[in-house]
Amino acid sequence: MEIQDKRVPVTLLTGFLGAGKTTLLNQLIRDPEAGHVAVIINEFGDVGLDHDLIEEVTEEVMLLRSGCLCCSIRGDLGKTLATLIARRMNGKLNFDRVVIETTGIADPGPILHTLVVDEFIAPHYRMDGVVTLADAATGPFTLDTNIEALNQVAVADLLVLTKTDLVSADEFGRFEARLDGLNKTAKRVRANHGQIPTGMLFGLSAMQPGATSEDIEVWLGSATGQTAHSKPGHHADTHGHGVHHHHESRFCSVSIEVPDPIPANVFDFWLDTLIALRGPNILRIKGIAHIEDIAWPFVFHGVQHIFDPPVPLKSWTGMDKTSRVVVIARDIDREDLEASLAMLRMQPSELETHLNGSTVQAVDTSP
């Protein structure tokens, strides 16, 4: 029987200023189907929770009538998470999942680092997904002027599109095209007056032992194949003239499908070299890998040089042995990323020949 992951799932909720995070949070903690949720925010005053939701307030925690709680970050996020889990284990607090409202934190890297590396946090929490709210009305201007907004879109597992009723169909189409250029793998949903079915916020990660081929398909999105990559940075305006978005030209998303199992040393060399040489520029990397002489595939996920422990899919029943990898990066030439991914198609002898004829020096990342 497959062992289930008992850790508390964590959702990061981020988005453009004024895109509707507070509306979504109020809906979340009102919805009984959401279960008991611990919401972590920077300060209580930053999020305008409806007064009728609040039952009791202490210095650090607001208890809500729904059975949820809202916790203000006091200094280090890791300490806040540790305090919550300790109180949960002692029976003083009850929650099934955590939502972190990331005002002022555009980069999920430090949060992922805490969840993966911290010796007390990692056994109790796991990343469940990044949700980014994007305002269709002011979103184009935000993307033009705020690189943090580009980061938020690029790392999202789910894009919640708000205020879509305030723009024309043509304007919305151009906005979606820009989002595609930054992150084609993210699921997408239009909010209805700022609200979406609560269940859509959760279960976004396929980093689960029982993940199915359908789960993997949704998680990796539609960006498949060596040639299926985005070309952000150039879009048409209403008059048909080219509009260059300087910041967006710094981002690219490249993916590959490898139909046959990959030799283990080829996969390890590819990943070690990519992370050693360009780790700081990797916004996200995720995929499913079928490795030679291993009976089941595994799913993997990382941000920069920080990786979750790979999850073996021991209950995998699919006959398809295709590996799929998606890399979303910033300030890396697309051709370099494509060349890197192409290494996954090589056999060990081909890789050795390639390296012998290359001027690029491999980096030994072993301890």
Side-chain angles (χ1 to χ4, degrees):
M1 179 179 294
E2 194 72 62
I3 299 176
Q4 296 300 310
D5 194 334
K6 301 291 187 181
R7 293 175 297 169
V8 177
V10 177
T11 300
L12 303 188
L13 180 62
T14 187
F16 302 177
L17 183 65
K21 292 189 295 294
T22 299
T23 300
L24 195 61
L25 280 176
N26 278 307
Q27 174 208 340
L28 170 66
I29 58 182
R30 285 181 185 277
D31 188 348
E33 294 187 5
H36 292 169
V37 181
V39 178
I40 299 178
I41 60 177
N42 286 336
E43 295 292 343
F44 287 150
D46 290 345
V47 176
L49 297 180
D50 291 345
H51 253 333
D52 63 343
L53 296 174
I54 302 171
E55 186 172 79
E56 180 182 343
V57 180
T58 67
E59 185 179 2
E60 295 181 341
V61 176
M62 291 192 298
L63 297 179
L64 309 174
R65 300 185 191 280
S66 62
C68 300
L69 62 95
C70 188
C71 179
S72 179
I73 296 175
R74 295 287 178 174
D76 183 69
L77 174 64
K79 293 179 180 178
T80 301
L81 289 168
T83 299
L84 282 178
I85 204 67
R87 292 182 180 181
R88 183 177 185 256
M89 294 170 69
N90 292 334
K92 295 180 180 179
L93 293 177
N94 178 31
F95 56 91
D96 306 314
R97 61 175 62 251
V98 171
V99 174
I100 302 174
E101 197 277 335
T102 62
T103 298
I105 307 175
D107 182 4
I111 298 176
L112 178 65
H113 188 273
T114 297
L115 296 178
V116 172
V117 177
D118 189 285
E119 61 181 1
F120 185 81
I121 300 301
H124 299 287
Y125 295 97
R126 65 173 177 85
M127 178 61 67
D128 189 50
V130 179
V131 177
T132 298
L133 276 71
D135 175 353
T138 62
F141 177 76
T142 303
L143 292 176
D144 288 342
T145 58
N146 192 324
I147 194 168
E148 286 79 12
L150 300 174
N151 284 326
Q152 292 168 353
V153 171
V155 302
D157 294 293
L158 173 67
L159 289 170
V160 179
L161 307 183
T162 63
K163 305 181 183 178
T164 58
D165 57 321
L166 301 181
V167 297
S168 69
D170 286 345
E171 289 171 325
F172 183 66
R174 288 193 296 273
F175 182 53
E176 281 208 297
R178 293 181 68 175
L179 299 179
D180 274 345
L182 291 164
N183 185 350
K184 199 172 180 64
T185 70
K187 296 171 63 178
R188 202 171 294 179
V189 60
R190 290 198 200 193
N192 181 13
H193 299 290
Q195 299 185 351
I196 66 170
T198 300
M200 295 193 70
L201 298 173
F202 307 137
L204 299 175
S205 173
M207 295 286 291
Q208 292 289 303
T212 66
S213 58
E214 290 79 12
D215 296 329
I216 301 295
E217 185 72 23
V218 171
W219 185 52
L220 295 179
S222 58
T224 61
Q226 181 67 41
T227 59
H229 51 261
S230 64
K231 295 186 66 175
H234 189 275
H235 308 276
D237 66 10
T238 53
H239 304 291
H241 303 299
V243 178
H244 184 73
H245 300 287
H246 172 68
H247 291 308
E248 275 158 274
S249 67
R250 299 173 57 190
F251 292 75
C252 68
S253 174
V254 179
S255 61
I256 191 173
E257 291 186 352
V258 183
D260 300 315
I262 302 169
N265 56 347
V266 171
F267 183 87
D268 291 343
F269 182 86
W270 163 75
L271 186 58
D272 287 349
T273 303
L274 177 64
I275 298 307
L277 295 178
R278 306 309 299 262
N281 303 104
I282 303 298
L283 295 179
R284 289 194 88 168
I285 182 170
K286 56 184 177 179
I288 178 172
H290 293 262
I291 303 299
E292 284 186 355
D293 301 322
I294 297 180
W296 47 76
F298 65 87
V299 286
F300 62 97
H301 170 262
V303 172
Q304 296 178 334
H305 62 285
I306 306 161
F307 276 73
D308 296 272
V311 176
L313 304 181
K314 295 184 179 181
S315 60
W316 186 263
T317 58
M319 299 301 293
D320 186 5
K321 300 295 184 181
T322 301
S323 299
R324 296 179 62 196
V325 180
V326 177
V327 180
I328 300 174
R330 183 181 61 224
D331 296 332
I332 303 180
D333 288 340
R334 181 176 294 105
E335 292 76 12
D336 290 344
L337 271 184
E338 290 177 339
S340 171
L341 283 173
M343 292 168 57
L344 291 172
R345 298 185 186 274
M346 296 181 178
Q347 291 301 308
S349 59
E350 294 176 298
L351 179 61
E352 183 177 353
T353 301
H354 170 76
L355 293 176
N356 288 338
S358 173
T359 59
V360 177
Q361 297 298 309
V363 176
D364 182 5
T365 59
S366 59

